Amino acid sequence: MITCVHRVAAVCALGAALTACASTPPARQAPRPAPSASPATPSSPPTLAPGPAGLTPVFHNGPRTRGRTVALTFDADMTADQGPRAAAGEHFDHPRLIATLRALNVPATVFMTGRWAEEYPAQARSLGRDPLFEVANHSYSHYAFTGDCYGLPTVPADRMRADVERAYATFRQVGVRDPMPYFRFPGGCYDREALKALAPAGVTAVQWDVVGGDAFATDAAAVARGVLDGVRPGSVVVLHCTRSAAPTTERAVRAIVPELRRRGYRFVKVSELIAAAGGRA
């Protein structure tokens, strides 16, 4: 449903851990806006119709009555000031997790920051060109789009659209093909002002209804239980694709996938759930 304020505290540990970064100047070349949510063409990705007063629509889950489908989503987080930490050996990527998803043949949606794509261009390009995955937008460098969002620095309202479009420009620069017109707010934090600011970008904001709880978790079995207990038909599960901040995710996925399949669930990308929603939040 469309809401004006939505906060998800369960991801606060990861949000708080991401530190402030310098303001993000416009890209050298003006980026192309994300594909428009309306009108749709037969070849365009499915999106939701704009919300009340033309606000950016917000998607939480797919229909509950159209079969047992579930979308696993993974946030690939990195801030602009974490480059030195990556150079010193900290891993903000998770190749083993992606390899496991491929081995298990699990389609997934990866919400990627532009800074992550810059740090790992080959991996971003590989994800963007693999039909098993779709790449969506998680901002350029994980600034918050509201105040008081788990300690994250805040993007000014007049820079919100530019921040989203800079991430899309970065995806294109590293060779990601056809990034999806979906945006996930850093920290899950948004308000009416943010929804208004992003409306011209033509994106659908994608939240979730199942929190993976993998941020800084040390017990993969507990992460798996939390997901398995929460999943319902049409669910969107939020997990992370960052070794240093979510080291147990790959092991949890190895438990989650076979059990959900045993229960009759089919894994899909977010785009399929949005298509099944028929343009309605």
Side-chain angles (χ1 to χ4, degrees):
M1 63 180 177
I2 300 292
T3 58
C4 292
V5 180
H6 185 78
R7 304 285 175 93
V8 181
V11 295
C12 66
L14 186 59
L18 298 174
T19 54
C21 55
S23 60
T24 56
R28 183 175 298 175
Q29 183 176 3
R32 183 180 60 205
S36 174
S38 177
T41 64
S43 60
S44 64
T47 53
L48 297 184
L55 299 179
T56 298
V58 183
F59 182 77
H60 294 92
N61 58 267
R64 302 296 192 190
T65 58
R66 296 189 182 181
R68 294 192 172 192
T69 55
V70 58
L72 297 185
T73 70
F74 298 88
D75 291 355
D77 297 331
M78 188 172 182
T79 65
D81 67 340
Q82 289 175 332
R85 289 165 58 182
E90 186 169 349
H91 298 287
F92 298 93
D93 61 341
H94 205 329
R96 185 171 179 178
L97 169 62
I98 299 303
T100 293
L101 292 169
R102 285 172 168 148
L104 296 174
N105 195 32
V106 178
T109 303
V110 179
F111 287 88
M112 187 182 296
T113 67
R115 184 64 188 87
W116 193 98
E118 286 178 343
E119 187 69 27
Y120 305 107
Q123 293 185 54
R125 185 163 52 249
S126 176
L127 287 166
R129 297 183 179 187
D130 187 336
L132 194 64
F133 303 107
E134 59 189 14
V135 172
N137 196 313
H138 195 33
S139 79
Y140 174 75
S141 58
H142 214 269
Y143 270 54
F145 282 61
T146 68
D148 190 24
C149 183
Y150 315 125
L152 292 171
T154 305
V155 179
D158 62 356
R159 295 291 302 157
M160 289 179 181
R161 179 183 176 185
D163 183 87
V164 172
E165 291 178 348
R166 185 180 182 188
Y168 278 120
T170 302
F171 298 159
R172 289 191 294 274
Q173 289 164 6
V174 303
V176 173
R177 292 177 179 169
D178 303 319
M180 304 301 283
Y182 308 144
F183 176 71
R184 174 163 286 166
F185 286 98
C189 304
Y190 67 90
D191 56 17
R192 183 182 179 87
E193 183 178 36
L195 296 180
K196 181 179 179 181
L198 293 189
V203 294
T204 292
V206 176
Q207 297 289 94
W208 54 84
D209 66 316
V210 178
V211 177
D214 59 335
F216 300 107
T218 58
D219 187 343
V223 173
R225 283 195 303 272
V227 172
L228 293 171
D229 289 346
V231 165
R232 299 168 58 197
S235 280
V236 176
V237 181
V238 59
L239 293 160
H240 296 87
C241 185
T242 311
R243 264 184 287 177
S244 61
T248 66
T249 307
E250 188 268 343
R251 283 179 285 148
V253 164
R254 286 187 176 275
I256 291 165
V257 169
E259 176 58 21
L260 286 179
R261 282 178 169 157
R262 187 190 69 80
R263 298 179 187 182
Y265 279 90
R266 179 172 64 91
F267 292 95
V268 300
K269 291 175 272 192
V270 164
S271 56
E272 184 168 333
L273 291 184
I274 291 178
R280 297 181 298 274

